[in-house]
Amino acid sequence: MDKFESFQGVAAPMPLVNIDTDMIIPKQFLKTIKRSGLGVNLFAEMRYDDDGNEIADFVLNQPAYRGAEILVAGDNFGCGSSREHAPWAIKDFGIKCVIAPSFADIFFNNCFKNGILPIALPQEQVDILMRDAERGSNARITVNLENQVLTTSEGETISFEVDPFRKHCLLEGLDDIGLTMERAPAIDAFEAQAAQARPWV
Amino acid sequence: MTGKTLYDKIWDAHLVHAAEDGTSLLYIDRHLVHEVTSPQAFEGLRMANRPVRAPEKTIAVPDHNVPTTEGRDKVIENEDSRIQVEALDKNARDFGINYYPVSDVRQGIVHIVGPEQGWTLPGMTVVCGDSHTATHGAFGALAHGIGTSEVEHVLATQTLIQSKSKNMKVEITGKLAPGVTAKDITLSVIGQTGTAGGTGYVIEYCGEAIRSLSMEGRMTVCNMAIEGGARAGLIAPDETTFEYVKGRPHAPKGAQWEAAMEWWKTLYSDDDAHWDKVVTIRGEDIAPVVTWGTSPEDVLPITDVVPAPESFKGGKVDAAKRALDYMGLKAGQKLSEIEIDTVFIGSCTNGRIEDLRAAAAILKGKKIKDGMRAMVVPGSGLVRAQAEEEGLADIFKAAGFEWRLAGCSMCLAMNPDQLSPGERCAATSNRNFEGRQGRGGRTHLMSPAMAAAAAITGHLTDVREMM
């Protein structure tokens, strides 16, 4: 996984609440056996009409937001299915950071596994960033994970929380499996003990 | 010292390692796998030359993509679907994991097959690359959905990196009124707490109304814990649980059964356990409900009317406007007057034998409305066989229902079972999201009995009028 570096980017506003994983990546695109190439299908049913033409007023089709690297959204973003195709599509489109008042649990976890930073902030702060995002491509928001600070295009700073372990993994681009493999002796010991305590498992 | 919740007990029994910052390594007892969220995980193992650490604890079954029509064991027409199912065949073979292929009568929806075969047992940790893994919580197992990266992590290490959730108690007191089912309980809870109400929590469902439910009903309740935002839903095991588990192919036997029972009987929340949040609902206050919008929280008693978007607060006002527009409904319209085109009975929420019995009880001797498209998709081949033996299949067929083979089917419409734009469906599944059952399709969630009633009248119907 690539290391997560600080960046300044265009933020796309999506003020809708309960944006679910079926919206983010509709099921017809889950039939792939690969992780790549899903960016073109991100938000497909909101983004394209029945004939596959772009719907002009959808935010990511507007010239200002075609290169968005940040998404600012409403409450409970990513609710629904566990499909990791949702963060794969977001990442493949080029979005590296999603900001919302709250996230669904599985989607939130999946983001970190794919080098995406999900940031939960109080509604008032999301509102500030949403207004900034609505100003288009001239308003670029800065994401600094190291210092845990967002800076609006007007220089206003908003600090955010992130789990220290996940922050470390994002910054270093660490692979979870490799880290856990280092704990193999502890897993072996657990299995031996569990085989005694609960042999029916 | 404060007592422990059931969640605390299962967590503690599976903790491999806990770091100072709370990041923990949790041992996984059962890993369920299906064809849609696993190919990339197996590919990852191959690239890193890693084996599956515990193939004997790993169970795979194709369910999301498979057609539900005859002949599917010979050929799956859709090429992408076929490739995914073939990939699972190969991965199961190459990595030596337990497998129920399409041709096996035990094939079905992974969350129905696991309990049916006795893979799911009380006190276990169970994961699957599918959000409705919460279903297995009905056995007092800590069960939740994971993403594909985590699927690969569990395949490689049989553990999961986790941080502990908070404890939430949802108590349903008293008795349910006639016509009210487990589906009405679980939808009503989400209606009260919202789809984000459980975020950050593991829910334990308790109270007399929950205790009175069969295992099938308990699975329906826990299945939709995820729809309430919770990581998992749990119900403490009791005699009903033990009775269900006993004698299943992979349940412990003899002395091991006795040893297991000894531990299982300790699996309950202590009286002095700490709860971070408590929700109490009177069983008597729960009515048969239906959803009107595009989120499972958009739920109301069938006797109610479509709400006005202005009656909500914050971002929900715009969301409700969008939902009514998508659903083609107007505020003030009676829910019981909404006409439907299609009925879908099935899914991991309501595809078990008891669900089919409940629907058949309403349909017996009746016909579905002219022009109605109606299908029953049993949750597994064994549920299907049992329903045929009990005569339920004949009732469905005589009423005008299509009698299908097992799979996820129209719950998520990855196979050919889909809604057309504008088509309105009474569904026993779990999500009414935009496009969930097919682009432009309109979904109303409800219990199997309510769906059967709607099939007969052609509109959303209070099943109590037909009992």
Side-chain angles (χ1 to χ4, degrees), chain A residues 18 22 27 30-32 34-35 48 84 105 110 177 180 188 191, chain B residues 27 40 50 53 81 84 147-149 152-153 231 297 412 414 435 439:
Chain A
N18 292 334
D22 279 82
K27 69 240 159 220
L30 308 188
K31 296 189 182 190
T32 174
K34 298 191 164 55
R35 293 172 204 245
Y48 308 105
E84 199 161 317
D105 189 43
N110 283 342
I177 297 178
T180 300
D188 292 341
E191 268 183 349
Chain B
Y27 193 79
Q40 295 86 351
R50 286 169 176 153
R53 182 179 169 103
S81 295
Q84 273 194 338
T148 299
S149 296
E152 186 178 339
H153 191 279
R231 175 164 296 170
E297 70 191 7
L412 85 166
M414 274 193 78
R439 184 169 187 156

PDB file of all heavy atoms in Angstrom, chain A residues 18 22 27 30-32 34-35 48 84 105 110 177 180 188 191, chain B residues 27 40 50 53 81 84 147-149 152-153 231 297 412 414 435 439:
ATOM      1  N   ASN A  18     -27.045   9.138   4.634  1.00  0.00           N
ATOM      2  CA  ASN A  18     -27.235   7.702   4.353  1.00  0.00           C
ATOM      3  C   ASN A  18     -26.807   7.306   2.936  1.00  0.00           C
ATOM      4  O   ASN A  18     -27.481   6.522   2.268  1.00  0.00           O
ATOM      5  CB  ASN A  18     -28.698   7.270   4.556  1.00  0.00           C
ATOM      6  CG  ASN A  18     -29.127   7.332   6.009  1.00  0.00           C
ATOM      7  OD1 ASN A  18     -28.303   7.216   6.909  1.00  0.00           O
ATOM      8  ND2 ASN A  18     -30.411   7.519   6.245  1.00  0.00           N
ATOM      9  N   ASP A  22     -24.628   0.568  -2.065  1.00  0.00           N
ATOM     10  CA  ASP A  22     -25.273   0.291  -3.355  1.00  0.00           C
ATOM     11  C   ASP A  22     -25.213   1.525  -4.256  1.00  0.00           C
ATOM     12  O   ASP A  22     -25.161   1.412  -5.477  1.00  0.00           O
ATOM     13  CB  ASP A  22     -26.734  -0.131  -3.173  1.00  0.00           C
ATOM     14  CG  ASP A  22     -26.864  -1.613  -2.788  1.00  0.00           C
ATOM     15  OD1 ASP A  22     -26.708  -1.904  -1.591  1.00  0.00           O
ATOM     16  OD2 ASP A  22     -27.094  -2.445  -3.680  1.00  0.00           O
ATOM     17  N   LYS A  27     -24.458  -3.149  -7.643  1.00  0.00           N
ATOM     18  CA  LYS A  27     -24.079  -4.574  -7.625  1.00  0.00           C
ATOM     19  C   LYS A  27     -23.568  -5.124  -8.947  1.00  0.00           C
ATOM     20  O   LYS A  27     -22.802  -6.082  -8.961  1.00  0.00           O
ATOM     21  CB  LYS A  27     -25.250  -5.428  -7.179  1.00  0.00           C
ATOM     22  CG  LYS A  27     -26.373  -5.459  -8.216  1.00  0.00           C
ATOM     23  CD  LYS A  27     -27.588  -4.938  -7.646  1.00  0.00           C
ATOM     24  CE  LYS A  27     -28.607  -4.465  -8.614  1.00  0.00           C
ATOM     25  NZ  LYS A  27     -29.202  -3.229  -8.087  1.00  0.00           N
ATOM     26  N   LEU A  30     -19.936  -5.733  -9.061  1.00  0.00           N
ATOM     27  CA  LEU A  30     -19.283  -6.578  -8.049  1.00  0.00           C
ATOM     28  C   LEU A  30     -18.841  -7.904  -8.642  1.00  0.00           C
ATOM     29  O   LEU A  30     -18.327  -8.763  -7.942  1.00  0.00           O
ATOM     30  CB  LEU A  30     -20.232  -6.869  -6.880  1.00  0.00           C
ATOM     31  CG  LEU A  30     -20.910  -5.689  -6.206  1.00  0.00           C
ATOM     32  CD1 LEU A  30     -21.638  -6.159  -4.960  1.00  0.00           C
ATOM     33  CD2 LEU A  30     -19.916  -4.602  -5.865  1.00  0.00           C
ATOM     34  N   LYS A  31     -19.102  -8.089  -9.932  1.00  0.00           N
ATOM     35  CA  LYS A  31     -18.806  -9.393 -10.534  1.00  0.00           C
ATOM     36  C   LYS A  31     -17.359  -9.515 -10.972  1.00  0.00           C
ATOM     37  O   LYS A  31     -16.965 -10.515 -11.566  1.00  0.00           O
ATOM     38  CB  LYS A  31     -19.739  -9.631 -11.717  1.00  0.00           C
ATOM     39  CG  LYS A  31     -21.194  -9.725 -11.262  1.00  0.00           C
ATOM     40  CD  LYS A  31     -22.115 -10.165 -12.350  1.00  0.00           C
ATOM     41  CE  LYS A  31     -23.547 -10.180 -11.827  1.00  0.00           C
ATOM     42  NZ  LYS A  31     -24.477 -10.805 -12.750  1.00  0.00           N
ATOM     43  N   THR A  32     -16.581  -8.511 -10.709  1.00  0.00           N
ATOM     44  CA  THR A  32     -15.170  -8.545 -11.073  1.00  0.00           C
ATOM     45  C   THR A  32     -14.395  -9.439 -10.107  1.00  0.00           C
ATOM     46  O   THR A  32     -14.797  -9.607  -8.954  1.00  0.00           O
ATOM     47  CB  THR A  32     -14.582  -7.123 -11.066  1.00  0.00           C
ATOM     48  OG1 THR A  32     -13.188  -7.219 -11.296  1.00  0.00           O
ATOM     49  CG2 THR A  32     -14.813  -6.430  -9.734  1.00  0.00           C
ATOM     50  N   LYS A  34     -11.184  -8.691  -9.802  1.00  0.00           N
ATOM     51  CA  LYS A  34     -10.025  -7.806  -9.590  1.00  0.00           C
ATOM     52  C   LYS A  34     -10.393  -6.656  -8.654  1.00  0.00           C
ATOM     53  O   LYS A  34     -11.563  -6.408  -8.397  1.00  0.00           O
ATOM     54  CB  LYS A  34      -9.586  -7.235 -10.937  1.00  0.00           C
ATOM     55  CG  LYS A  34      -9.128  -8.292 -11.927  1.00  0.00           C
ATOM     56  CD  LYS A  34      -8.466  -7.624 -13.130  1.00  0.00           C
ATOM     57  CE  LYS A  34      -7.668  -8.613 -13.941  1.00  0.00           C
ATOM     58  NZ  LYS A  34      -8.451  -9.773 -14.381  1.00  0.00           N
ATOM     59  N   ARG A  35      -9.388  -5.949  -8.181  1.00  0.00           N
ATOM     60  CA  ARG A  35      -9.639  -4.793  -7.321  1.00  0.00           C
ATOM     61  C   ARG A  35      -9.624  -3.489  -8.107  1.00  0.00           C
ATOM     62  O   ARG A  35     -10.087  -2.457  -7.625  1.00  0.00           O
ATOM     63  CB  ARG A  35      -8.552  -4.659  -6.249  1.00  0.00           C
ATOM     64  CG  ARG A  35      -8.538  -5.757  -5.222  1.00  0.00           C
ATOM     65  CD  ARG A  35      -7.308  -5.642  -4.312  1.00  0.00           C
ATOM     66  NE  ARG A  35      -6.996  -6.936  -3.741  1.00  0.00           N
ATOM     67  CZ  ARG A  35      -7.064  -7.226  -2.436  1.00  0.00           C
ATOM     68  NH1 ARG A  35      -7.382  -6.319  -1.571  1.00  0.00           N
ATOM     69  NH2 ARG A  35      -6.790  -8.428  -2.011  1.00  0.00           N
ATOM     70  N   TYR A  48     -24.608   8.209 -14.375  1.00  0.00           N
ATOM     71  CA  TYR A  48     -24.914   7.954 -15.788  1.00  0.00           C
ATOM     72  C   TYR A  48     -26.400   7.660 -15.973  1.00  0.00           C
ATOM     73  O   TYR A  48     -27.029   7.075 -15.086  1.00  0.00           O
ATOM     74  CB  TYR A  48     -24.120   6.744 -16.296  1.00  0.00           C
ATOM     75  CG  TYR A  48     -22.640   6.807 -16.034  1.00  0.00           C
ATOM     76  CD1 TYR A  48     -22.065   6.032 -15.031  1.00  0.00           C
ATOM     77  CD2 TYR A  48     -21.815   7.660 -16.781  1.00  0.00           C
ATOM     78  CE1 TYR A  48     -20.692   6.093 -14.775  1.00  0.00           C
ATOM     79  CE2 TYR A  48     -20.451   7.719 -16.528  1.00  0.00           C
ATOM     80  CZ  TYR A  48     -19.891   6.935 -15.523  1.00  0.00           C
ATOM     81  OH  TYR A  48     -18.551   6.996 -15.270  1.00  0.00           O
ATOM     82  N   GLU A  84     -16.034  -4.305  -0.402  1.00  0.00           N
ATOM     83  CA  GLU A  84     -14.839  -3.450  -0.420  1.00  0.00           C
ATOM     84  C   GLU A  84     -14.699  -2.764  -1.775  1.00  0.00           C
ATOM     85  O   GLU A  84     -13.875  -1.866  -1.954  1.00  0.00           O
ATOM     86  CB  GLU A  84     -13.599  -4.271  -0.069  1.00  0.00           C
ATOM     87  CG  GLU A  84     -12.425  -3.416   0.393  1.00  0.00           C
ATOM     88  CD  GLU A  84     -11.383  -4.213   1.172  1.00  0.00           C
ATOM     89  OE1 GLU A  84     -11.778  -5.038   2.010  1.00  0.00           O
ATOM     90  OE2 GLU A  84     -10.188  -4.002   0.943  1.00  0.00           O
ATOM     91  N   ASP A 105     -19.719   1.293  10.071  1.00  0.00           N
ATOM     92  CA  ASP A 105     -18.569   0.597  10.653  1.00  0.00           C
ATOM     93  C   ASP A 105     -17.694  -0.145   9.627  1.00  0.00           C
ATOM     94  O   ASP A 105     -16.476   0.038   9.583  1.00  0.00           O
ATOM     95  CB  ASP A 105     -19.145  -0.390  11.684  1.00  0.00           C
ATOM     96  CG  ASP A 105     -18.098  -1.039  12.550  1.00  0.00           C
ATOM     97  OD1 ASP A 105     -17.183  -0.322  13.001  1.00  0.00           O
ATOM     98  OD2 ASP A 105     -18.204  -2.255  12.789  1.00  0.00           O
ATOM     99  N   ASN A 110     -12.886  -0.627   6.012  1.00  0.00           N
ATOM    100  CA  ASN A 110     -12.396  -0.934   4.674  1.00  0.00           C
ATOM    101  C   ASN A 110     -11.547   0.202   4.100  1.00  0.00           C
ATOM    102  O   ASN A 110     -10.607  -0.044   3.344  1.00  0.00           O
ATOM    103  CB  ASN A 110     -13.569  -1.224   3.733  1.00  0.00           C
ATOM    104  CG  ASN A 110     -14.155  -2.609   3.939  1.00  0.00           C
ATOM    105  OD1 ASN A 110     -13.526  -3.481   4.525  1.00  0.00           O
ATOM    106  ND2 ASN A 110     -15.363  -2.814   3.442  1.00  0.00           N
ATOM    107  N   ILE A 177      -1.598  -7.815   7.137  1.00  0.00           N
ATOM    108  CA  ILE A 177      -1.307  -9.255   7.230  1.00  0.00           C
ATOM    109  C   ILE A 177       0.146  -9.473   7.651  1.00  0.00           C
ATOM    110  O   ILE A 177       0.432 -10.286   8.531  1.00  0.00           O
ATOM    111  CB  ILE A 177      -1.607  -9.971   5.897  1.00  0.00           C
ATOM    112  CG1 ILE A 177      -3.106  -9.851   5.582  1.00  0.00           C
ATOM    113  CG2 ILE A 177      -1.184 -11.438   5.961  1.00  0.00           C
ATOM    114  CD1 ILE A 177      -3.536 -10.459   4.272  1.00  0.00           C
ATOM    115  N   THR A 180       0.428  -8.840  11.343  1.00  0.00           N
ATOM    116  CA  THR A 180      -0.148  -9.913  12.169  1.00  0.00           C
ATOM    117  C   THR A 180       0.710 -11.167  12.109  1.00  0.00           C
ATOM    118  O   THR A 180       0.849 -11.871  13.108  1.00  0.00           O
ATOM    119  CB  THR A 180      -1.589 -10.216  11.709  1.00  0.00           C
ATOM    120  OG1 THR A 180      -2.369  -9.029  11.853  1.00  0.00           O
ATOM    121  CG2 THR A 180      -2.213 -11.328  12.531  1.00  0.00           C
ATOM    122  N   ASP A 188      -0.296 -19.176  17.601  1.00  0.00           N
ATOM    123  CA  ASP A 188      -0.055 -20.598  17.875  1.00  0.00           C
ATOM    124  C   ASP A 188      -0.421 -20.943  19.324  1.00  0.00           C
ATOM    125  O   ASP A 188      -1.086 -21.948  19.590  1.00  0.00           O
ATOM    126  CB  ASP A 188       1.430 -20.951  17.668  1.00  0.00           C
ATOM    127  CG  ASP A 188       1.841 -20.859  16.208  1.00  0.00           C
ATOM    128  OD1 ASP A 188       0.953 -20.893  15.337  1.00  0.00           O
ATOM    129  OD2 ASP A 188       3.064 -20.750  15.938  1.00  0.00           O
ATOM    130  N   GLU A 191      -4.174 -20.932  19.863  1.00  0.00           N
ATOM    131  CA  GLU A 191      -4.814 -22.117  19.265  1.00  0.00           C
ATOM    132  C   GLU A 191      -4.611 -23.349  20.144  1.00  0.00           C
ATOM    133  O   GLU A 191      -5.537 -24.146  20.331  1.00  0.00           O
ATOM    134  CB  GLU A 191      -4.253 -22.385  17.867  1.00  0.00           C
ATOM    135  CG  GLU A 191      -5.061 -21.699  16.794  1.00  0.00           C
ATOM    136  CD  GLU A 191      -4.585 -21.996  15.377  1.00  0.00           C
ATOM    137  OE1 GLU A 191      -3.493 -22.578  15.213  1.00  0.00           O
ATOM    138  OE2 GLU A 191      -5.310 -21.614  14.442  1.00  0.00           O
TER     139      GLU A 191
ATOM    140  N   TYR B  27      -9.217 -13.970  17.746  1.00  0.00           N
ATOM    141  CA  TYR B  27      -9.193 -15.254  17.036  1.00  0.00           C
ATOM    142  C   TYR B  27     -10.567 -15.527  16.417  1.00  0.00           C
ATOM    143  O   TYR B  27     -11.601 -15.249  17.032  1.00  0.00           O
ATOM    144  CB  TYR B  27      -8.821 -16.408  17.976  1.00  0.00           C
ATOM    145  CG  TYR B  27      -8.493 -17.664  17.195  1.00  0.00           C
ATOM    146  CD1 TYR B  27      -7.247 -17.799  16.597  1.00  0.00           C
ATOM    147  CD2 TYR B  27      -9.435 -18.682  17.013  1.00  0.00           C
ATOM    148  CE1 TYR B  27      -6.931 -18.929  15.833  1.00  0.00           C
ATOM    149  CE2 TYR B  27      -9.133 -19.806  16.255  1.00  0.00           C
ATOM    150  CZ  TYR B  27      -7.878 -19.920  15.670  1.00  0.00           C
ATOM    151  OH  TYR B  27      -7.581 -21.025  14.916  1.00  0.00           O
ATOM    152  N   GLN B  40     -10.563 -11.705  -4.798  1.00  0.00           N
ATOM    153  CA  GLN B  40      -9.380 -10.860  -4.637  1.00  0.00           C
ATOM    154  C   GLN B  40      -8.565 -11.280  -3.420  1.00  0.00           C
ATOM    155  O   GLN B  40      -7.341 -11.108  -3.382  1.00  0.00           O
ATOM    156  CB  GLN B  40      -9.796  -9.384  -4.503  1.00  0.00           C
ATOM    157  CG  GLN B  40     -10.458  -8.799  -5.739  1.00  0.00           C
ATOM    158  CD  GLN B  40     -11.967  -9.026  -5.814  1.00  0.00           C
ATOM    159  OE1 GLN B  40     -12.541  -9.769  -5.034  1.00  0.00           O
ATOM    160  NE2 GLN B  40     -12.614  -8.373  -6.769  1.00  0.00           N
ATOM    161  N   ARG B  50       0.910 -17.622   0.392  1.00  0.00           N
ATOM    162  CA  ARG B  50       0.456 -17.940   1.749  1.00  0.00           C
ATOM    163  C   ARG B  50      -0.648 -19.004   1.685  1.00  0.00           C
ATOM    164  O   ARG B  50      -1.525 -18.912   0.836  1.00  0.00           O
ATOM    165  CB  ARG B  50      -0.121 -16.686   2.421  1.00  0.00           C
ATOM    166  CG  ARG B  50       0.927 -15.677   2.837  1.00  0.00           C
ATOM    167  CD  ARG B  50       0.289 -14.351   3.255  1.00  0.00           C
ATOM    168  NE  ARG B  50       1.315 -13.437   3.752  1.00  0.00           N
ATOM    169  CZ  ARG B  50       1.222 -12.109   3.702  1.00  0.00           C
ATOM    170  NH1 ARG B  50       0.149 -11.536   3.181  1.00  0.00           N
ATOM    171  NH2 ARG B  50       2.180 -11.366   4.165  1.00  0.00           N
ATOM    172  N   ARG B  53      -4.702 -20.591   6.779  1.00  0.00           N
ATOM    173  CA  ARG B  53      -4.175 -21.086   8.047  1.00  0.00           C
ATOM    174  C   ARG B  53      -5.034 -22.215   8.628  1.00  0.00           C
ATOM    175  O   ARG B  53      -4.515 -23.187   9.150  1.00  0.00           O
ATOM    176  CB  ARG B  53      -4.072 -19.939   9.055  1.00  0.00           C
ATOM    177  CG  ARG B  53      -3.481 -20.420  10.385  1.00  0.00           C
ATOM    178  CD  ARG B  53      -3.324 -19.328  11.412  1.00  0.00           C
ATOM    179  NE  ARG B  53      -3.002 -19.932  12.682  1.00  0.00           N
ATOM    180  CZ  ARG B  53      -1.789 -19.954  13.228  1.00  0.00           C
ATOM    181  NH1 ARG B  53      -0.778 -19.362  12.630  1.00  0.00           N
ATOM    182  NH2 ARG B  53      -1.584 -20.546  14.383  1.00  0.00           N
ATOM    183  N   SER B  81     -20.747 -13.829 -13.816  1.00  0.00           N
ATOM    184  CA  SER B  81     -21.209 -14.634 -12.674  1.00  0.00           C
ATOM    185  C   SER B  81     -20.556 -16.005 -12.704  1.00  0.00           C
ATOM    186  O   SER B  81     -20.125 -16.529 -11.671  1.00  0.00           O
ATOM    187  CB  SER B  81     -22.731 -14.811 -12.718  1.00  0.00           C
ATOM    188  OG  SER B  81     -23.370 -13.575 -12.553  1.00  0.00           O
ATOM    189  N   GLN B  84     -17.025 -15.926 -11.509  1.00  0.00           N
ATOM    190  CA  GLN B  84     -16.901 -15.814 -10.042  1.00  0.00           C
ATOM    191  C   GLN B  84     -17.183 -17.148  -9.353  1.00  0.00           C
ATOM    192  O   GLN B  84     -16.502 -17.520  -8.400  1.00  0.00           O
ATOM    193  CB  GLN B  84     -17.845 -14.743  -9.490  1.00  0.00           C
ATOM    194  CG  GLN B  84     -17.223 -13.358  -9.510  1.00  0.00           C
ATOM    195  CD  GLN B  84     -17.986 -12.354  -8.675  1.00  0.00           C
ATOM    196  OE1 GLN B  84     -19.163 -12.521  -8.390  1.00  0.00           O
ATOM    197  NE2 GLN B  84     -17.316 -11.274  -8.299  1.00  0.00           N
ATOM    198  N   GLY B 147     -14.624  -6.699   5.193  1.00  0.00           N
ATOM    199  CA  GLY B 147     -14.295  -6.407   3.801  1.00  0.00           C
ATOM    200  C   GLY B 147     -13.344  -7.461   3.252  1.00  0.00           C
ATOM    201  O   GLY B 147     -12.881  -8.351   3.979  1.00  0.00           O
ATOM    202  N   THR B 148     -13.045  -7.342   1.960  1.00  0.00           N
ATOM    203  CA  THR B 148     -12.217  -8.361   1.308  1.00  0.00           C
ATOM    204  C   THR B 148     -10.780  -8.390   1.847  1.00  0.00           C
ATOM    205  O   THR B 148     -10.181  -9.457   1.963  1.00  0.00           O
ATOM    206  CB  THR B 148     -12.240  -8.145  -0.212  1.00  0.00           C
ATOM    207  OG1 THR B 148     -13.591  -8.285  -0.654  1.00  0.00           O
ATOM    208  CG2 THR B 148     -11.374  -9.147  -0.951  1.00  0.00           C
ATOM    209  N   SER B 149     -10.226  -7.223   2.187  1.00  0.00           N
ATOM    210  CA  SER B 149      -8.879  -7.215   2.781  1.00  0.00           C
ATOM    211  C   SER B 149      -8.872  -8.010   4.080  1.00  0.00           C
ATOM    212  O   SER B 149      -7.911  -8.725   4.387  1.00  0.00           O
ATOM    213  CB  SER B 149      -8.421  -5.779   3.065  1.00  0.00           C
ATOM    214  OG  SER B 149      -8.308  -5.058   1.879  1.00  0.00           O
ATOM    215  N   GLU B 152      -8.976 -11.729   3.439  1.00  0.00           N
ATOM    216  CA  GLU B 152      -7.619 -12.233   3.189  1.00  0.00           C
ATOM    217  C   GLU B 152      -6.844 -12.367   4.507  1.00  0.00           C
ATOM    218  O   GLU B 152      -6.123 -13.341   4.727  1.00  0.00           O
ATOM    219  CB  GLU B 152      -6.890 -11.288   2.224  1.00  0.00           C
ATOM    220  CG  GLU B 152      -5.526 -11.807   1.798  1.00  0.00           C
ATOM    221  CD  GLU B 152      -4.834 -10.888   0.802  1.00  0.00           C
ATOM    222  OE1 GLU B 152      -5.508 -10.081   0.136  1.00  0.00           O
ATOM    223  OE2 GLU B 152      -3.591 -10.966   0.708  1.00  0.00           O
ATOM    224  N   HIS B 153      -7.026 -11.396   5.380  1.00  0.00           N
ATOM    225  CA  HIS B 153      -6.353 -11.408   6.682  1.00  0.00           C
ATOM    226  C   HIS B 153      -6.765 -12.629   7.503  1.00  0.00           C
ATOM    227  O   HIS B 153      -5.925 -13.309   8.107  1.00  0.00           O
ATOM    228  CB  HIS B 153      -6.685 -10.112   7.425  1.00  0.00           C
ATOM    229  CG  HIS B 153      -5.858  -9.875   8.650  1.00  0.00           C
ATOM    230  ND1 HIS B 153      -6.140 -10.486   9.851  1.00  0.00           N
ATOM    231  CD2 HIS B 153      -4.771  -9.106   8.861  1.00  0.00           C
ATOM    232  CE1 HIS B 153      -5.247 -10.086  10.759  1.00  0.00           C
ATOM    233  NE2 HIS B 153      -4.406  -9.259  10.179  1.00  0.00           N
ATOM    234  N   ARG B 231     -22.190  -3.208  14.879  1.00  0.00           N
ATOM    235  CA  ARG B 231     -21.212  -4.150  14.335  1.00  0.00           C
ATOM    236  C   ARG B 231     -21.816  -5.550  14.341  1.00  0.00           C
ATOM    237  O   ARG B 231     -21.625  -6.310  13.400  1.00  0.00           O
ATOM    238  CB  ARG B 231     -19.926  -4.133  15.159  1.00  0.00           C
ATOM    239  CG  ARG B 231     -18.945  -5.201  14.688  1.00  0.00           C
ATOM    240  CD  ARG B 231     -17.556  -4.985  15.200  1.00  0.00           C
ATOM    241  NE  ARG B 231     -16.986  -3.750  14.680  1.00  0.00           N
ATOM    242  CZ  ARG B 231     -15.856  -3.219  15.106  1.00  0.00           C
ATOM    243  NH1 ARG B 231     -15.189  -3.798  16.076  1.00  0.00           N
ATOM    244  NH2 ARG B 231     -15.402  -2.108  14.585  1.00  0.00           N
ATOM    245  N   GLU B 297     -34.662   2.574   7.946  1.00  0.00           N
ATOM    246  CA  GLU B 297     -35.243   3.344   9.047  1.00  0.00           C
ATOM    247  C   GLU B 297     -36.566   3.995   8.655  1.00  0.00           C
ATOM    248  O   GLU B 297     -37.301   4.484   9.512  1.00  0.00           O
ATOM    249  CB  GLU B 297     -34.259   4.411   9.556  1.00  0.00           C
ATOM    250  CG  GLU B 297     -34.024   5.547   8.577  1.00  0.00           C
ATOM    251  CD  GLU B 297     -32.864   6.450   8.969  1.00  0.00           C
ATOM    252  OE1 GLU B 297     -32.150   6.127   9.927  1.00  0.00           O
ATOM    253  OE2 GLU B 297     -32.670   7.484   8.297  1.00  0.00           O
ATOM    254  N   LEU B 412     -30.514  -8.786  -3.684  1.00  0.00           N
ATOM    255  CA  LEU B 412     -29.553  -7.810  -4.195  1.00  0.00           C
ATOM    256  C   LEU B 412     -29.413  -7.867  -5.707  1.00  0.00           C
ATOM    257  O   LEU B 412     -28.637  -7.100  -6.272  1.00  0.00           O
ATOM    258  CB  LEU B 412     -28.182  -7.935  -3.505  1.00  0.00           C
ATOM    259  CG  LEU B 412     -27.192  -8.955  -4.051  1.00  0.00           C
ATOM    260  CD1 LEU B 412     -25.826  -8.676  -3.466  1.00  0.00           C
ATOM    261  CD2 LEU B 412     -27.613 -10.347  -3.763  1.00  0.00           C
ATOM    262  N   MET B 414     -28.071  -9.602  -8.040  1.00  0.00           N
ATOM    263  CA  MET B 414     -26.831  -9.830  -8.796  1.00  0.00           C
ATOM    264  C   MET B 414     -27.027 -10.924  -9.827  1.00  0.00           C
ATOM    265  O   MET B 414     -26.249 -11.069 -10.750  1.00  0.00           O
ATOM    266  CB  MET B 414     -25.695 -10.245  -7.864  1.00  0.00           C
ATOM    267  CG  MET B 414     -24.976  -9.076  -7.264  1.00  0.00           C
ATOM    268  SD  MET B 414     -23.438  -9.557  -6.499  1.00  0.00           S
ATOM    269  CE  MET B 414     -22.360  -9.751  -7.907  1.00  0.00           C
ATOM    270  N   GLY B 435     -32.199   1.306  -6.165  1.00  0.00           N
ATOM    271  CA  GLY B 435     -31.556   0.394  -7.112  1.00  0.00           C
ATOM    272  C   GLY B 435     -31.160  -0.956  -6.554  1.00  0.00           C
ATOM    273  O   GLY B 435     -30.604  -1.778  -7.262  1.00  0.00           O
ATOM    274  N   ARG B 439     -32.121  -1.449 -11.077  1.00  0.00           N
ATOM    275  CA  ARG B 439     -32.127   0.003 -11.272  1.00  0.00           C
ATOM    276  C   ARG B 439     -33.553   0.530 -11.380  1.00  0.00           C
ATOM    277  O   ARG B 439     -34.345   0.042 -12.183  1.00  0.00           O
ATOM    278  CB  ARG B 439     -31.355   0.352 -12.536  1.00  0.00           C
ATOM    279  CG  ARG B 439     -31.248   1.852 -12.736  1.00  0.00           C
ATOM    280  CD  ARG B 439     -30.274   2.233 -13.826  1.00  0.00           C
ATOM    281  NE  ARG B 439     -30.140   3.695 -13.810  1.00  0.00           N
ATOM    282  CZ  ARG B 439     -29.104   4.354 -14.270  1.00  0.00           C
ATOM    283  NH1 ARG B 439     -28.102   3.711 -14.788  1.00  0.00           N
ATOM    284  NH2 ARG B 439     -29.069   5.663 -14.208  1.00  0.00           N
TER     285      ARG B 439
END
